[in-house]
Structure formats: structure tokens, C-alpha cells
């Protein structure tokens, strides 16, 4: 018999049985109305999850990284200036992509653990009288550090500076798990993938474009073929794609949206918050600290936990995999070896989270850290006892 523990990496996340089944379907003609019955509800479901009335949703056979490329190549031209901050591995990689596309990136270096510096953005945008900055890039949830940023504040910075730049938001590890408000925050392009909040295997880049971003597709001259949203728009009008879509995954996406919407978005967010608070209670009981610098930026989908100086945090991840068959996330980039990450997003309950907390605790004790066995579990249990969520009667 083989056993499968839940994973506690911050994506890909655990896949509910019903979604696995939804992805496993017979071949259909992807140029037929039958495909339209999968495509259009999936796009509508994503739009609702983005909290948008009018976003154009595009779904590519790709991953979140392809979503970044979609945002950039469809709207910008070589030499265009973009403004962003580097506060973790994913914002760093997005910057790298911009530079490889010949964009001129103004980078606000930000401590890893802090949120995006909206005040600094405002100063820079206000000083950009000729509106050379064409886009502001914002990573909503830095998965490397477990830091959430205030996208509404970034929009306020643009508004205060009366600046017309587009606002691109990476919501790869927030959308469908944490509150995300495409319309209210004035997001122009939102980017995510299938393998985190949507609880599916990796394989889809999911993006939303505002009407303003759609207008920019007419003037941007960066080369684009696979990720050209104009070709995609034409395809969608005929229930089709410019190439072969990942039909099974899209069927899964359709089901995932239904699951999330029937749970209720606010309930989904509350569940993630409650589970995250339990994990944070455990971290406190262990006497450890989060990489995230203050409660205002604590992520509800991933916690990056600092280990004491001189201790290699990656050893916890290796040990958990080898001894207990449980996956945690390693530290990335600047915080490699300094943090390990507990992913707590997607198809997860309090009880599942307790098993992850217990395993992390066993590993730390095995590896000689001065932690009392049971201390983190007890703290999380206390939290969950005092903050019960809805019992999921049919988690599959
Ligand atoms: C915040 C964030 N952005 C972008 C990415 C890249 O997405 P993908 O690995 O799906 O290409 C990730 C992946 O973990 C992420 O967490």
C-alpha cells in the first residue's frame, strides 16, 4: 500500500479528488461547441473570483511565469520604463523577465520581509512628469517570504500622482485564496496559475486584462506569438484556441471555480486566514519568527519561518521529506537556508494543517532545535478550538 501525506509547499497544492476526476476526461474536439461549454464557464468563474465585472480572462497552457510574459509582451514596447520593487524571489524573477525583454526597469530595493513601498512608488510616479513609466508591477503575495502587499495602496499611489501607468499584479499565490479585488483596486493585468488557489495541477496561466490593458495591446510592440491575447480573443469567439488547449485542466478549472464559489469567496478567505493564524500561533510557541516583518504583511497562504543563526533551515525540509514523507518549502534566494516555508493554501483544513505543524515540530526536535514537542501543535489547537470553521462534509 502506498500512502500520500498532504503537501505543505506553497504550490502546487493538494488536489481534491473531484478536481482530479474533472481533469481526467475523454478527448473532445477542442474546436467544437462542446469545448465552449468548458471554456466560457471557466472564464466567467475566474472573472468572478477576480471580483471583476469586465476583465477579459485568458487561459493559456502555461504557468504563472507565462502569465507574466503575457502581461508584458501584450502591452509594452522595448525600452519602455516600468516601476517595481524587489522584495523577494518572485518579484526578482519578474524584474529579470522585464530586463530580458529590453524594458527599462526602475527597481525600488526593498528588504525581503517587507511589503511593497507604495509611498515610494507615489514619489517616483509624481516625479515622472512626462509619464515615461508605462507600467507598475506589484507582487501581491511574495511566496518566497510569506509577505502580502497592499495593492489598494499601490493604486492610491497611482491615483495621487495622477499617473496613467498600467498596474500589473502577480496574484499567483493569492488569487482564489486571499482577497483580491480586480475592479476595486483598478488592476490592469492580474496573473495567476492553476496550481495554487485553484487546487489543480500546474499547466495553466490564468490572466485578467482590464479594458485599458486591452487598449494597450494595440500599441505595445514587444514580440508575442504564443501569448498573443489578440489571437486568443479571436479563438474564443469561435469556442476555440489559436492552438491546442489543455482541455482536461480547463475542465478542472471550471469545477474549481464552482467549488470556490459555492464555498463562498469570503469563506475561502476566512478559512485561509484561520489556518494561517494557527500556523502563526505555532511559530510563536516555538519561539521562532516569521520572515514577514509585521502582522500587516503576514500572508495567509504561506509562512516563511526563520530558524536560529547557524542552523540550515533547508535541513528541516530535507529531513521532513526523507523521514516523514512530508513536503515543506525551502528558502529561496536571499533567504535560502535561513527560512523554511509552510504552505497553507488550497484544499486544506485545520486538521490537515495540524499534521503539518506536528511534522515540522518533529523535524526541528530531531535536528536538535530547542523546541518542546507539542508546543506548536498545542498553540494551533487552542487557536482552532477558539475559532472553529465550517466542517467540510464532503471535502472530495
Ligand atoms: C508569487 C509567484 N509569482 C510567480 C510564480 C511563478 O509561477 P509558475 O511557477 O507557475 O510559473 C510563483 C510560483 O511559485 C509565485 O509564487
Amino acid at each position: 500500500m502506498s500512502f500520500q501525506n498532504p503537501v505543505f509547499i506553497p504550490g502546487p497544492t493538494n488536489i481534491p479528488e473531484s478536481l482530479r476526476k474533472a481533469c481526467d476526461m475523454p478527448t473532445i474536439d477542442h474546436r467544437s461547441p462542446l469545448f465552449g461549454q468548458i471554456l466560457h464557464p471557466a472564464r466567467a468563474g475566474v472573472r468572478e473570483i477576480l471580483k471583476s465585472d469586465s476583465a477579459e480572462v485568458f487561459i493559456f497552457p502555461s504557468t504563472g511565469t507565462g502569465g507574466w510574459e503575457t502581461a508584458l509582451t501584450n502591452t509594452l514596447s522595448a525600452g519602455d520604463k516600468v516601476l517595481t520593487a524587489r522584495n523577494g524571489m518572485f518579484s526578482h524573477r519578474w524584474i529579470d523577465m522585464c530586463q530580458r525583454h529590453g524594458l527599462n526597469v526602475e527597481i525600488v530595493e526593498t528588504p525581503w520581509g517587507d511589503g511593497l513601498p507604495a509611498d515610494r512608488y507615489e514619489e517616483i510616479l509624481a516625479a515622472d512628469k512626462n509619464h515615461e513609466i508605462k507600467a507598475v508591477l506589484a507582487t501581491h503575495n511574495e511566496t518566497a517570504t510569506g509577505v502580502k502587499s497592499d495593492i489598494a495602496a499601490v493604486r492610491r499611489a497611482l491615483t495621487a500622482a495622477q499617473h496613467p501607468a498600467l498596474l500589473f499584479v502577480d496574484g499567483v499565490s493569492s488569487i482564489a485564496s486571499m482577497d483580491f479585488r480586480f475592479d476595486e483596486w483598478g488592476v490592469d493585468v492580474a496573473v495567476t496559475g492553476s496550481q495554487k488557489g485553484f487546487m489543480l495541477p500546474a499547466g495553466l496561466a490564468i490572466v485578467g486584462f482590464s479594458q485599458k490593458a486591452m487598449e494597450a495591446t494595440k500599441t505595445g510592440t514587444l514580440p508575442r506569438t504564443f501569448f498573443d491575447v489578440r489571437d486568443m480573443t479571436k479563438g474564443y469567439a469561435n469556442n476555440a484556441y489559436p492552438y491546442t488547449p489543455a482541455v482536461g485542466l480547463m475542465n478542472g478549472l471550471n469545477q474549481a471555480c464552482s467549488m470556490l464559489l459555492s464555498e463562498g469567496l469570503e469563506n475561502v478567505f476566512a478559512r485561509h486566514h484561520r489556518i494561517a493564524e494557527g500556523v502563526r500561533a505555532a511559530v510563536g510557541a516555538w519561539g521562532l519568527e516569521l520572515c514577514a516583518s509585521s502582522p500587516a504583511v503576514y500572508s495567509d497562504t504561506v509562512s516563511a519561518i526563520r530558524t536560529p543563526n547557524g542552523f540550515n533551515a533547508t535541513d528541516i525540509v530535507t529531513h521532513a521529506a526523507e523521514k516523514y514523507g512530508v513536503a515543506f518549502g525551502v528558502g529561496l534566494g536571499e533567504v535560502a537556508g535561513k527560512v523554511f516555508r509552510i504552505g497553507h493554501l488550497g484544499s486544506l483544513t485545520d486538521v490537515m494543517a495540524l499534521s503539518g505543524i506536528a511534522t515540522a515540530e518533529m523535524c526541528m526536535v530531531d535536528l536538535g532545535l530547542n523546541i518542546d514537542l507539542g508546543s506548536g501543535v498545542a498553540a494551533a489547537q487552542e487557536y482552532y478550538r477558539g475559532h472553529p470553521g465550517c466542517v467540510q462534509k464532503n471535502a472530495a
Side-chain angles (χ1 to χ4, degrees):
M1 199 163 181
S2 74
F3 296 96
Q4 169 71 54
N5 288 314
V7 293
F8 295 97
I9 46 176
T13 58
N14 302 294
I15 309 172
E17 188 58 25
S18 60
L19 294 189
R20 236 178 309 191
K21 286 182 180 149
C23 295
D24 180 6
M25 58 175 285
T27 303
I28 61 160
D29 178 3
H30 59 277
R31 299 189 192 282
S32 72
L34 200 54
F35 176 60
Q37 291 172 23
I38 297 172
L39 169 68
H40 300 304
R43 295 179 68 216
V46 169
R47 190 177 300 117
E48 198 169 341
I49 286 166
L50 292 177
K51 294 194 179 164
S52 177
D53 290 332
S54 57
E56 291 292 341
V57 172
F58 300 102
I59 303 164
F60 294 91
S62 182
T63 67
T65 306
W68 285 342
E69 192 148 330
T70 303
L72 304 179
T73 58
N74 278 282
T75 56
L76 301 173
S77 306
D80 276 355
K81 196 166 179 184
V82 301
L83 170 64
T84 191
R86 175 163 30 218
N87 66 339
M89 197 61 191
F90 293 98
S91 42
H92 167 73
R93 288 199 182 139
W94 206 2
I95 290 167
D96 175 53
M97 181 184 276
C98 290
Q99 290 170 334
R100 292 197 210 185
H101 278 292
L103 298 171
N104 173 7
V105 193
E106 171 143 13
I107 305 168
V108 183
E109 296 294 349
T110 302
W112 287 35
D114 285 2
L116 297 177
D119 293 352
R120 188 71 196 106
Y121 279 3
E122 185 178 331
E123 286 167 13
I124 294 168
L125 290 164
D128 180 35
K129 298 287 180 221
N130 295 331
H131 297 164
E132 281 171 22
I133 296 169
K134 300 298 174 207
V136 175
L137 277 51
T139 301
H140 184 204
N141 191 70
E142 223 335 317
T143 321
T145 54
V147 164
K148 147 187 99 173
S149 284
D150 185 349
I151 302 301
V154 177
R155 167 49 66 196
R156 282 198 297 275
L158 280 153
T159 307
Q162 297 184 315
H163 201 292
L166 295 162
L167 174 58
F168 297 165
V169 182
D170 172 340
V172 173
S173 60
S174 61
I175 289 170
S177 309
M178 286 162 50
D179 196 11
F180 191 94
R181 306 180 186 195
F182 188 95
D183 285 358
E184 189 181 317
W185 296 342
V187 175
D188 290 302
V189 182
V191 174
T192 189
S194 48
Q195 77 276 21
K196 297 191 196 254
F198 288 105
M199 306 168 283
L200 293 165
L204 298 177
I206 301 165
V207 293
F209 270 53
S210 70
Q211 293 313 313
K212 185 172 161 190
M214 290 305 293
E215 276 301 305
T217 67
K218 297 176 187 161
T219 51
T221 58
L222 278 178
R224 58 193 123 137
T225 49
F226 189 84
F227 292 116
D228 196 328
V229 299
R230 295 166 304 182
D231 294 344
M232 207 54 125
T233 306
K234 278 187 214 145
Y236 288 169
N238 298 310
N239 299 315
Y241 261 51
Y243 37 75
T244 314
V247 178
L249 275 174
M250 292 178 66
N251 196 45
L253 179 61
N254 198 353
Q255 295 292 325
C257 292
S258 300
M259 266 176 81
L260 290 159
L261 294 169
S262 72
E263 182 177 349
L265 282 184
E266 303 314 314
N267 295 332
V268 171
F269 305 148
R271 174 168 55 82
H272 280 81
H273 181 70
R274 193 180 63 253
I275 291 173
E277 283 285 289
V279 172
R280 292 190 277 262
V283 174
W286 293 331
L288 298 178
E289 284 184 358
L290 293 172
C291 181
S293 58
S294 72
V297 298
Y298 288 169
S299 161
D300 283 342
T301 59
V302 54
S303 295
I305 301 156
R306 288 190 186 278
T307 52
N309 283 342
F311 181 90
N312 182 2
T314 304
D315 289 349
I316 296 172
V317 179
T318 311
H319 187 76
E322 288 176 356
K323 184 167 177 186
Y324 300 110
V326 169
F328 295 110
V330 294
L332 300 171
E334 242 181 53
V335 290
K338 297 181 183 158
V339 306
F340 75 102
R341 293 176 299 154
I342 301 183
H344 34 78
L345 73 163
S347 178
L348 210 64
T349 63
D350 307 355
V351 170
M352 288 161 84
L354 284 170
S355 73
I357 295 166
T359 310
E361 201 164 67
M362 289 193 287
C363 293
M364 290 189 284
V365 173
D366 289 350
L367 295 170
L369 284 185
N370 184 17
I371 281 170
D372 289 331
L373 208 55
S375 57
V377 173
Q381 285 171 320
E382 281 304 343
Y383 183 82
Y384 295 142
R385 286 178 63 235
H387 300 81
C390 303
V391 176
Q392 287 180 306
K393 294 209 176 61
N394 182 7

